[in-house]
Amino acid sequence: MGVWTQPDDLDADRPAVVMISAGVVHRAGPWRLHTQLARVLAGDGFASFRFDLSGIGDSERRTDVTHLREAIGLDVSAALDYVSERCGVDRFVLLGLCSGAHDALLSAVSDPRVVGVVAMDLIAEMRNWQHHLWHVGKRFLSGPAWRRLLTGRIPRLPSVMKRTSSQPQRRRRRDLGLEGVRPPLPRVELAGILSRLLERDTRLLLIFSSGLEWNYNHGSQFEENFPTLARHPNLTHHFLRGADHTLGAREDRAAAVECIREWLSVGFAR
Amino acid sequence: MIPLFFGEWERRLFGAYDPPQGIDQRLGVIVCYPVGPEYYRAYSACQWLARRLAMAGAHVLRFDYYGTGDSAGDMADVTLPDWQRNVEEAVEELEDLANLRSVAAVGLRFGAALAASVADTRDDIDRLVMWDPILSGIGCLRELESLLVPGRSADRNPGEPFELKAEFYDHAFIDSLEGFVPLQRHASLPPTLIMSTRSETAYQDVIKRIAEAGIDHSLALRPGPCVWDESQDIVNSGVPVEALTEIVEWITKAA
């Protein structure tokens, strides 16, 4: 089940944006992100299709495959086929948040019709030593830490570091409702996926928020992890400091939407 | 499921219509979603219910209120009467779609309040199910306030919109919610089932008000996953099968 939104003057040479379910939220997206985005993009001349993966929202659960990754690949491929046949568009930008970002990247690799990917708050292995440093620094510079310092109760390093250990991370993933959605994409696998997509001239926009701070907490973290890829002209990455995982605050959402609009208009101009 | 848009084009509503499977009971059921975060959480359970009702021979229409889901508009334009009007439009759409003998309404949480307020004013809704109802605008507002962006104040300045997660709620809407209390003393509702997936005491106030209004009602206590509740694991908790099965039986038996 999906909803097709098209501009008044549909240009079949421009790619259509296909929005993939975020977690178990149906096609409208978290806090209606996909519905709002579809309408804004239609105003910019981009058609879009927001749809429910099988077993989510109003789409039936698949019975022909048992492996989740295979099912998602077939779902995305079916969505692109449908839009191609109905609307004559044969180039696509896949867009997804959280598990949707994961699914967008993996689906793009196997489908040459995909010419762009917008991956928002992708859950991948991103923590590096700088992440730990930022984390520790932030805790040391926080008000409670100074209060403790001024009152002689100096925090011990192990207590500062403990929040970066794997157990609290799992707890935070669970608290965010991420447990059981998708495992974090290993760093090496992500590098391979991005490289393959860039090699075939796919444009990539990666947006990270502060919502998954346990994994991503500063703006240069992507280029620290992937210095060569980050310099590629077809790859753009943004960090929305202070934004939550589902872009709940209006200004954060507006910033993300603006970022996507600009990226689309520059990369896929008429 | 057949997707459709209905209502005025500029204010069109998205509907999901499940036609009857097997014998057509000529029974229509509208399903009124909860609002705010509960809408997202309960979507699958409402869909499950709609399918089971269709399998039992009912014509079922679920729909997104104006400014929500796939329907037109933004929350900044919404008023409470808009949503009540949407429920009426859904009943009329279903009556246009099928040659019905009777119509029932199922409302979950604040959807129950909207369904009850409309059932109070129409004589073509023959049965009402209030599933874990919130029967006051204040109660709904409390739920919406849980959507406040962290760090933002719940205090509102007159004339300024009220910001919740990614959406602005107009002042008039919030004010109208504060004053909204369906089921006044002279309410006239069809036979009503109150379905609780929580404790026996959770809806004493609702039951008292319904009893005071002299409405033919029954209470079913079927503890199960509170699909709308933020504390539930949305991925693994499943749907309250026992409660939903009873709703289907109660509606179709009467038809």
Side-chain angles (χ1 to χ4, degrees), chain B residues 11-31:
Chain B
R11 300 177 71 82
R12 61 195 176 277
L13 304 177
F14 176 81
Y17 168 58
D18 282 286
Q21 295 169 27
I23 298 167
D24 182 353
Q25 303 287 349
R26 294 178 58 198
L27 161 69
V29 184
I30 58 157
V31 177

mmCIF file with all atom_site columns, all heavy atoms in Angstrom, chain B residues 11-31:
data_model
loop_
_atom_site.group_PDB
_atom_site.id
_atom_site.type_symbol
_atom_site.label_atom_id
_atom_site.label_alt_id
_atom_site.label_comp_id
_atom_site.label_asym_id
_atom_site.label_entity_id
_atom_site.label_seq_id
_atom_site.pdbx_PDB_ins_code
_atom_site.Cartn_x
_atom_site.Cartn_y
_atom_site.Cartn_z
_atom_site.occupancy
_atom_site.B_iso_or_equiv
_atom_site.pdbx_formal_charge
_atom_site.auth_seq_id
_atom_site.auth_comp_id
_atom_site.auth_asym_id
_atom_site.auth_atom_id
_atom_site.pdbx_PDB_model_num
ATOM 1   N N   . ARG B 1 11 ? -10.266 19.419  1.376  1.00 0.00 ? 11 ARG B N   1
ATOM 2   C CA  . ARG B 1 11 ? -10.158 18.901  2.749  1.00 0.00 ? 11 ARG B CA  1
ATOM 3   C C   . ARG B 1 11 ? -10.380 17.385  2.737  1.00 0.00 ? 11 ARG B C   1
ATOM 4   O O   . ARG B 1 11 ? -11.027 16.835  3.631  1.00 0.00 ? 11 ARG B O   1
ATOM 5   C CB  . ARG B 1 11 ? -11.184 19.582  3.662  1.00 0.00 ? 11 ARG B CB  1
ATOM 6   C CG  . ARG B 1 11 ? -10.986 21.093  3.739  1.00 0.00 ? 11 ARG B CG  1
ATOM 7   C CD  . ARG B 1 11 ? -12.046 21.745  4.585  1.00 0.00 ? 11 ARG B CD  1
ATOM 8   N NE  . ARG B 1 11 ? -11.898 21.446  5.999  1.00 0.00 ? 11 ARG B NE  1
ATOM 9   C CZ  . ARG B 1 11 ? -11.060 22.075  6.817  1.00 0.00 ? 11 ARG B CZ  1
ATOM 10  N NH1 . ARG B 1 11 ? -10.318 23.041  6.379  1.00 0.00 ? 11 ARG B NH1 1
ATOM 11  N NH2 . ARG B 1 11 ? -10.993 21.760  8.084  1.00 0.00 ? 11 ARG B NH2 1
ATOM 12  N N   . ARG B 1 12 ? -9.825  16.743  1.695  1.00 0.00 ? 12 ARG B N   1
ATOM 13  C CA  . ARG B 1 12 ? -10.106 15.323  1.498  1.00 0.00 ? 12 ARG B CA  1
ATOM 14  C C   . ARG B 1 12 ? -9.518  14.465  2.617  1.00 0.00 ? 12 ARG B C   1
ATOM 15  O O   . ARG B 1 12 ? -8.459  14.787  3.175  1.00 0.00 ? 12 ARG B O   1
ATOM 16  C CB  . ARG B 1 12 ? -9.608  14.855  0.138  1.00 0.00 ? 12 ARG B CB  1
ATOM 17  C CG  . ARG B 1 12 ? -8.125  15.001  -0.072 1.00 0.00 ? 12 ARG B CG  1
ATOM 18  C CD  . ARG B 1 12 ? -7.774  14.876  -1.554 1.00 0.00 ? 12 ARG B CD  1
ATOM 19  N NE  . ARG B 1 12 ? -6.362  15.103  -1.787 1.00 0.00 ? 12 ARG B NE  1
ATOM 20  C CZ  . ARG B 1 12 ? -5.819  16.315  -1.904 1.00 0.00 ? 12 ARG B CZ  1
ATOM 21  N NH1 . ARG B 1 12 ? -6.560  17.405  -1.772 1.00 0.00 ? 12 ARG B NH1 1
ATOM 22  N NH2 . ARG B 1 12 ? -4.528  16.444  -2.130 1.00 0.00 ? 12 ARG B NH2 1
ATOM 23  N N   . LEU B 1 13 ? -10.210 13.384  2.876  1.00 0.00 ? 13 LEU B N   1
ATOM 24  C CA  . LEU B 1 13 ? -9.793  12.461  3.938  1.00 0.00 ? 13 LEU B CA  1
ATOM 25  C C   . LEU B 1 13 ? -9.361  11.145  3.313  1.00 0.00 ? 13 LEU B C   1
ATOM 26  O O   . LEU B 1 13 ? -9.978  10.680  2.348  1.00 0.00 ? 13 LEU B O   1
ATOM 27  C CB  . LEU B 1 13 ? -10.950 12.215  4.911  1.00 0.00 ? 13 LEU B CB  1
ATOM 28  C CG  . LEU B 1 13 ? -11.561 13.462  5.551  1.00 0.00 ? 13 LEU B CG  1
ATOM 29  C CD1 . LEU B 1 13 ? -12.746 13.070  6.446  1.00 0.00 ? 13 LEU B CD1 1
ATOM 30  C CD2 . LEU B 1 13 ? -10.525 14.225  6.376  1.00 0.00 ? 13 LEU B CD2 1
ATOM 31  N N   . PHE B 1 14 ? -8.328  10.555  3.879  1.00 0.00 ? 14 PHE B N   1
ATOM 32  C CA  . PHE B 1 14 ? -7.884  9.248   3.403  1.00 0.00 ? 14 PHE B CA  1
ATOM 33  C C   . PHE B 1 14 ? -8.653  8.168   4.151  1.00 0.00 ? 14 PHE B C   1
ATOM 34  O O   . PHE B 1 14 ? -8.737  8.183   5.384  1.00 0.00 ? 14 PHE B O   1
ATOM 35  C CB  . PHE B 1 14 ? -6.382  9.061   3.635  1.00 0.00 ? 14 PHE B CB  1
ATOM 36  C CG  . PHE B 1 14 ? -5.914  7.685   3.253  1.00 0.00 ? 14 PHE B CG  1
ATOM 37  C CD1 . PHE B 1 14 ? -5.657  7.368   1.926  1.00 0.00 ? 14 PHE B CD1 1
ATOM 38  C CD2 . PHE B 1 14 ? -5.789  6.690   4.205  1.00 0.00 ? 14 PHE B CD2 1
ATOM 39  C CE1 . PHE B 1 14 ? -5.271  6.091   1.557  1.00 0.00 ? 14 PHE B CE1 1
ATOM 40  C CE2 . PHE B 1 14 ? -5.399  5.403   3.847  1.00 0.00 ? 14 PHE B CE2 1
ATOM 41  C CZ  . PHE B 1 14 ? -5.137  5.107   2.520  1.00 0.00 ? 14 PHE B CZ  1
ATOM 42  N N   . GLY B 1 15 ? -9.214  7.243   3.395  1.00 0.00 ? 15 GLY B N   1
ATOM 43  C CA  . GLY B 1 15 ? -9.940  6.135   4.015  1.00 0.00 ? 15 GLY B CA  1
ATOM 44  C C   . GLY B 1 15 ? -9.400  4.798   3.560  1.00 0.00 ? 15 GLY B C   1
ATOM 45  O O   . GLY B 1 15 ? -8.867  4.670   2.445  1.00 0.00 ? 15 GLY B O   1
ATOM 46  N N   . ALA B 1 16 ? -9.517  3.805   4.413  1.00 0.00 ? 16 ALA B N   1
ATOM 47  C CA  . ALA B 1 16 ? -9.148  2.434   4.078  1.00 0.00 ? 16 ALA B CA  1
ATOM 48  C C   . ALA B 1 16 ? -10.418 1.602   4.238  1.00 0.00 ? 16 ALA B C   1
ATOM 49  O O   . ALA B 1 16 ? -10.904 1.420   5.352  1.00 0.00 ? 16 ALA B O   1
ATOM 50  C CB  . ALA B 1 16 ? -8.050  1.935   5.006  1.00 0.00 ? 16 ALA B CB  1
ATOM 51  N N   . TYR B 1 17 ? -10.945 1.171   3.093  1.00 0.00 ? 17 TYR B N   1
ATOM 52  C CA  . TYR B 1 17 ? -12.234 0.469   3.097  1.00 0.00 ? 17 TYR B CA  1
ATOM 53  C C   . TYR B 1 17 ? -12.008 -1.032  2.941  1.00 0.00 ? 17 TYR B C   1
ATOM 54  O O   . TYR B 1 17 ? -11.387 -1.473  1.971  1.00 0.00 ? 17 TYR B O   1
ATOM 55  C CB  . TYR B 1 17 ? -13.102 1.015   1.958  1.00 0.00 ? 17 TYR B CB  1
ATOM 56  C CG  . TYR B 1 17 ? -14.340 0.209   1.651  1.00 0.00 ? 17 TYR B CG  1
ATOM 57  C CD1 . TYR B 1 17 ? -15.316 -0.030  2.630  1.00 0.00 ? 17 TYR B CD1 1
ATOM 58  C CD2 . TYR B 1 17 ? -14.551 -0.309  0.366  1.00 0.00 ? 17 TYR B CD2 1
ATOM 59  C CE1 . TYR B 1 17 ? -16.456 -0.781  2.332  1.00 0.00 ? 17 TYR B CE1 1
ATOM 60  C CE2 . TYR B 1 17 ? -15.686 -1.044  0.063  1.00 0.00 ? 17 TYR B CE2 1
ATOM 61  C CZ  . TYR B 1 17 ? -16.631 -1.285  1.051  1.00 0.00 ? 17 TYR B CZ  1
ATOM 62  O OH  . TYR B 1 17 ? -17.747 -2.013  0.766  1.00 0.00 ? 17 TYR B OH  1
ATOM 63  N N   . ASP B 1 18 ? -12.496 -1.780  3.901  1.00 0.00 ? 18 ASP B N   1
ATOM 64  C CA  . ASP B 1 18 ? -12.454 -3.242  3.813  1.00 0.00 ? 18 ASP B CA  1
ATOM 65  C C   . ASP B 1 18 ? -13.858 -3.741  3.493  1.00 0.00 ? 18 ASP B C   1
ATOM 66  O O   . ASP B 1 18 ? -14.758 -3.657  4.342  1.00 0.00 ? 18 ASP B O   1
ATOM 67  C CB  . ASP B 1 18 ? -11.997 -3.852  5.155  1.00 0.00 ? 18 ASP B CB  1
ATOM 68  C CG  . ASP B 1 18 ? -10.496 -3.748  5.340  1.00 0.00 ? 18 ASP B CG  1
ATOM 69  O OD1 . ASP B 1 18 ? -9.769  -4.504  4.685  1.00 0.00 ? 18 ASP B OD1 1
ATOM 70  O OD2 . ASP B 1 18 ? -10.055 -2.887  6.125  1.00 0.00 ? 18 ASP B OD2 1
ATOM 71  N N   . PRO B 1 19 ? -14.079 -4.247  2.275  1.00 0.00 ? 19 PRO B N   1
ATOM 72  C CA  . PRO B 1 19 ? -15.404 -4.786  1.952  1.00 0.00 ? 19 PRO B CA  1
ATOM 73  C C   . PRO B 1 19 ? -15.615 -6.129  2.647  1.00 0.00 ? 19 PRO B C   1
ATOM 74  O O   . PRO B 1 19 ? -14.637 -6.764  3.068  1.00 0.00 ? 19 PRO B O   1
ATOM 75  C CB  . PRO B 1 19 ? -15.351 -4.949  0.431  1.00 0.00 ? 19 PRO B CB  1
ATOM 76  C CG  . PRO B 1 19 ? -13.912 -5.036  0.085  1.00 0.00 ? 19 PRO B CG  1
ATOM 77  C CD  . PRO B 1 19 ? -13.137 -4.343  1.160  1.00 0.00 ? 19 PRO B CD  1
ATOM 78  N N   . PRO B 1 20 ? -16.871 -6.565  2.769  1.00 0.00 ? 20 PRO B N   1
ATOM 79  C CA  . PRO B 1 20 ? -17.095 -7.835  3.468  1.00 0.00 ? 20 PRO B CA  1
ATOM 80  C C   . PRO B 1 20 ? -16.529 -9.013  2.692  1.00 0.00 ? 20 PRO B C   1
ATOM 81  O O   . PRO B 1 20 ? -16.515 -9.002  1.475  1.00 0.00 ? 20 PRO B O   1
ATOM 82  C CB  . PRO B 1 20 ? -18.619 -7.914  3.554  1.00 0.00 ? 20 PRO B CB  1
ATOM 83  C CG  . PRO B 1 20 ? -19.135 -6.992  2.509  1.00 0.00 ? 20 PRO B CG  1
ATOM 84  C CD  . PRO B 1 20 ? -18.109 -5.941  2.310  1.00 0.00 ? 20 PRO B CD  1
ATOM 85  N N   . GLN B 1 21 ? -16.059 -9.985  3.440  1.00 0.00 ? 21 GLN B N   1
ATOM 86  C CA  . GLN B 1 21 ? -15.612 -11.225 2.811  1.00 0.00 ? 21 GLN B CA  1
ATOM 87  C C   . GLN B 1 21 ? -16.655 -12.268 3.160  1.00 0.00 ? 21 GLN B C   1
ATOM 88  O O   . GLN B 1 21 ? -17.076 -12.356 4.300  1.00 0.00 ? 21 GLN B O   1
ATOM 89  C CB  . GLN B 1 21 ? -14.239 -11.628 3.354  1.00 0.00 ? 21 GLN B CB  1
ATOM 90  C CG  . GLN B 1 21 ? -13.159 -10.620 2.972  1.00 0.00 ? 21 GLN B CG  1
ATOM 91  C CD  . GLN B 1 21 ? -11.861 -10.851 3.718  1.00 0.00 ? 21 GLN B CD  1
ATOM 92  O OE1 . GLN B 1 21 ? -11.551 -11.966 4.118  1.00 0.00 ? 21 GLN B OE1 1
ATOM 93  N NE2 . GLN B 1 21 ? -11.112 -9.787  3.916  1.00 0.00 ? 21 GLN B NE2 1
ATOM 94  N N   . GLY B 1 22 ? -17.066 -13.030 2.180  1.00 0.00 ? 22 GLY B N   1
ATOM 95  C CA  . GLY B 1 22 ? -18.120 -14.007 2.444  1.00 0.00 ? 22 GLY B CA  1
ATOM 96  C C   . GLY B 1 22 ? -19.483 -13.329 2.419  1.00 0.00 ? 22 GLY B C   1
ATOM 97  O O   . GLY B 1 22 ? -19.729 -12.424 1.617  1.00 0.00 ? 22 GLY B O   1
ATOM 98  N N   . ILE B 1 23 ? -20.348 -13.712 3.333  1.00 0.00 ? 23 ILE B N   1
ATOM 99  C CA  . ILE B 1 23 ? -21.726 -13.204 3.318  1.00 0.00 ? 23 ILE B CA  1
ATOM 100 C C   . ILE B 1 23 ? -21.766 -11.750 3.772  1.00 0.00 ? 23 ILE B C   1
ATOM 101 O O   . ILE B 1 23 ? -21.245 -11.403 4.830  1.00 0.00 ? 23 ILE B O   1
ATOM 102 C CB  . ILE B 1 23 ? -22.624 -14.073 4.241  1.00 0.00 ? 23 ILE B CB  1
ATOM 103 C CG1 . ILE B 1 23 ? -22.657 -15.511 3.716  1.00 0.00 ? 23 ILE B CG1 1
ATOM 104 C CG2 . ILE B 1 23 ? -24.045 -13.507 4.316  1.00 0.00 ? 23 ILE B CG2 1
ATOM 105 C CD1 . ILE B 1 23 ? -23.232 -16.506 4.679  1.00 0.00 ? 23 ILE B CD1 1
ATOM 106 N N   . ASP B 1 24 ? -22.413 -10.922 2.942  1.00 0.00 ? 24 ASP B N   1
ATOM 107 C CA  . ASP B 1 24 ? -22.534 -9.494  3.264  1.00 0.00 ? 24 ASP B CA  1
ATOM 108 C C   . ASP B 1 24 ? -23.649 -9.322  4.307  1.00 0.00 ? 24 ASP B C   1
ATOM 109 O O   . ASP B 1 24 ? -24.810 -9.605  4.034  1.00 0.00 ? 24 ASP B O   1
ATOM 110 C CB  . ASP B 1 24 ? -22.868 -8.725  1.975  1.00 0.00 ? 24 ASP B CB  1
ATOM 111 C CG  . ASP B 1 24 ? -22.962 -7.220  2.195  1.00 0.00 ? 24 ASP B CG  1
ATOM 112 O OD1 . ASP B 1 24 ? -22.908 -6.776  3.354  1.00 0.00 ? 24 ASP B OD1 1
ATOM 113 O OD2 . ASP B 1 24 ? -23.093 -6.501  1.183  1.00 0.00 ? 24 ASP B OD2 1
ATOM 114 N N   . GLN B 1 25 ? -23.257 -8.860  5.483  1.00 0.00 ? 25 GLN B N   1
ATOM 115 C CA  . GLN B 1 25 ? -24.252 -8.684  6.564  1.00 0.00 ? 25 GLN B CA  1
ATOM 116 C C   . GLN B 1 25 ? -24.984 -7.341  6.439  1.00 0.00 ? 25 GLN B C   1
ATOM 117 O O   . GLN B 1 25 ? -25.820 -7.023  7.273  1.00 0.00 ? 25 GLN B O   1
ATOM 118 C CB  . GLN B 1 25 ? -23.553 -8.736  7.937  1.00 0.00 ? 25 GLN B CB  1
ATOM 119 C CG  . GLN B 1 25 ? -22.772 -9.992  8.208  1.00 0.00 ? 25 GLN B CG  1
ATOM 120 C CD  . GLN B 1 25 ? -23.677 -11.183 8.479  1.00 0.00 ? 25 GLN B CD  1
ATOM 121 O OE1 . GLN B 1 25 ? -24.880 -11.027 8.657  1.00 0.00 ? 25 GLN B OE1 1
ATOM 122 N NE2 . GLN B 1 25 ? -23.109 -12.375 8.459  1.00 0.00 ? 25 GLN B NE2 1
ATOM 123 N N   . ARG B 1 26 ? -24.601 -6.558  5.423  1.00 0.00 ? 26 ARG B N   1
ATOM 124 C CA  . ARG B 1 26 ? -25.147 -5.198  5.232  1.00 0.00 ? 26 ARG B CA  1
ATOM 125 C C   . ARG B 1 26 ? -24.988 -4.373  6.525  1.00 0.00 ? 26 ARG B C   1
ATOM 126 O O   . ARG B 1 26 ? -25.858 -3.616  6.908  1.00 0.00 ? 26 ARG B O   1
ATOM 127 C CB  . ARG B 1 26 ? -26.598 -5.255  4.765  1.00 0.00 ? 26 ARG B CB  1
ATOM 128 C CG  . ARG B 1 26 ? -26.705 -5.859  3.370  1.00 0.00 ? 26 ARG B CG  1
ATOM 129 C CD  . ARG B 1 26 ? -28.119 -5.970  2.901  1.00 0.00 ? 26 ARG B CD  1
ATOM 130 N NE  . ARG B 1 26 ? -28.797 -4.678  2.884  1.00 0.00 ? 26 ARG B NE  1
ATOM 131 C CZ  . ARG B 1 26 ? -30.110 -4.542  2.839  1.00 0.00 ? 26 ARG B CZ  1
ATOM 132 N NH1 . ARG B 1 26 ? -30.885 -5.623  2.790  1.00 0.00 ? 26 ARG B NH1 1
ATOM 133 N NH2 . ARG B 1 26 ? -30.666 -3.350  2.824  1.00 0.00 ? 26 ARG B NH2 1
ATOM 134 N N   . LEU B 1 27 ? -23.862 -4.600  7.130  1.00 0.00 ? 27 LEU B N   1
ATOM 135 C CA  . LEU B 1 27 ? -23.498 -3.894  8.359  1.00 0.00 ? 27 LEU B CA  1
ATOM 136 C C   . LEU B 1 27 ? -22.274 -3.032  8.074  1.00 0.00 ? 27 LEU B C   1
ATOM 137 O O   . LEU B 1 27 ? -21.283 -3.525  7.528  1.00 0.00 ? 27 LEU B O   1
ATOM 138 C CB  . LEU B 1 27 ? -23.157 -4.928  9.451  1.00 0.00 ? 27 LEU B CB  1
ATOM 139 C CG  . LEU B 1 27 ? -22.324 -4.449  10.652 1.00 0.00 ? 27 LEU B CG  1
ATOM 140 C CD1 . LEU B 1 27 ? -23.145 -3.485  11.525 1.00 0.00 ? 27 LEU B CD1 1
ATOM 141 C CD2 . LEU B 1 27 ? -21.866 -5.644  11.492 1.00 0.00 ? 27 LEU B CD2 1
ATOM 142 N N   . GLY B 1 28 ? -22.350 -1.757  8.394  1.00 0.00 ? 28 GLY B N   1
ATOM 143 C CA  . GLY B 1 28 ? -21.203 -0.869  8.209  1.00 0.00 ? 28 GLY B CA  1
ATOM 144 C C   . GLY B 1 28 ? -20.566 -0.565  9.547  1.00 0.00 ? 28 GLY B C   1
ATOM 145 O O   . GLY B 1 28 ? -21.261 -0.404  10.551 1.00 0.00 ? 28 GLY B O   1
ATOM 146 N N   . VAL B 1 29 ? -19.243 -0.504  9.554  1.00 0.00 ? 29 VAL B N   1
ATOM 147 C CA  . VAL B 1 29 ? -18.529 -0.151  10.797 1.00 0.00 ? 29 VAL B CA  1
ATOM 148 C C   . VAL B 1 29 ? -17.490 0.912   10.466 1.00 0.00 ? 29 VAL B C   1
ATOM 149 O O   . VAL B 1 29 ? -16.681 0.726   9.558  1.00 0.00 ? 29 VAL B O   1
ATOM 150 C CB  . VAL B 1 29 ? -17.815 -1.377  11.422 1.00 0.00 ? 29 VAL B CB  1
ATOM 151 C CG1 . VAL B 1 29 ? -17.168 -0.980  12.754 1.00 0.00 ? 29 VAL B CG1 1
ATOM 152 C CG2 . VAL B 1 29 ? -18.765 -2.544  11.621 1.00 0.00 ? 29 VAL B CG2 1
ATOM 153 N N   . ILE B 1 30 ? -17.545 2.027   11.176 1.00 0.00 ? 30 ILE B N   1
ATOM 154 C CA  . ILE B 1 30 ? -16.449 2.987   11.031 1.00 0.00 ? 30 ILE B CA  1
ATOM 155 C C   . ILE B 1 30 ? -15.527 2.830   12.242 1.00 0.00 ? 30 ILE B C   1
ATOM 156 O O   . ILE B 1 30 ? -15.988 2.605   13.365 1.00 0.00 ? 30 ILE B O   1
ATOM 157 C CB  . ILE B 1 30 ? -16.927 4.445   10.887 1.00 0.00 ? 30 ILE B CB  1
ATOM 158 C CG1 . ILE B 1 30 ? -17.777 4.879   12.070 1.00 0.00 ? 30 ILE B CG1 1
ATOM 159 C CG2 . ILE B 1 30 ? -17.660 4.667   9.580  1.00 0.00 ? 30 ILE B CG2 1
ATOM 160 C CD1 . ILE B 1 30 ? -17.789 6.372   12.247 1.00 0.00 ? 30 ILE B CD1 1
ATOM 161 N N   . VAL B 1 31 ? -14.256 2.918   11.956 1.00 0.00 ? 31 VAL B N   1
ATOM 162 C CA  . VAL B 1 31 ? -13.248 2.797   13.020 1.00 0.00 ? 31 VAL B CA  1
ATOM 163 C C   . VAL B 1 31 ? -12.591 4.162   13.204 1.00 0.00 ? 31 VAL B C   1
ATOM 164 O O   . VAL B 1 31 ? -12.023 4.714   12.253 1.00 0.00 ? 31 VAL B O   1
ATOM 165 C CB  . VAL B 1 31 ? -12.192 1.723   12.677 1.00 0.00 ? 31 VAL B CB  1
ATOM 166 C CG1 . VAL B 1 31 ? -11.122 1.659   13.764 1.00 0.00 ? 31 VAL B CG1 1
ATOM 167 C CG2 . VAL B 1 31 ? -12.850 0.362   12.493 1.00 0.00 ? 31 VAL B CG2 1
#
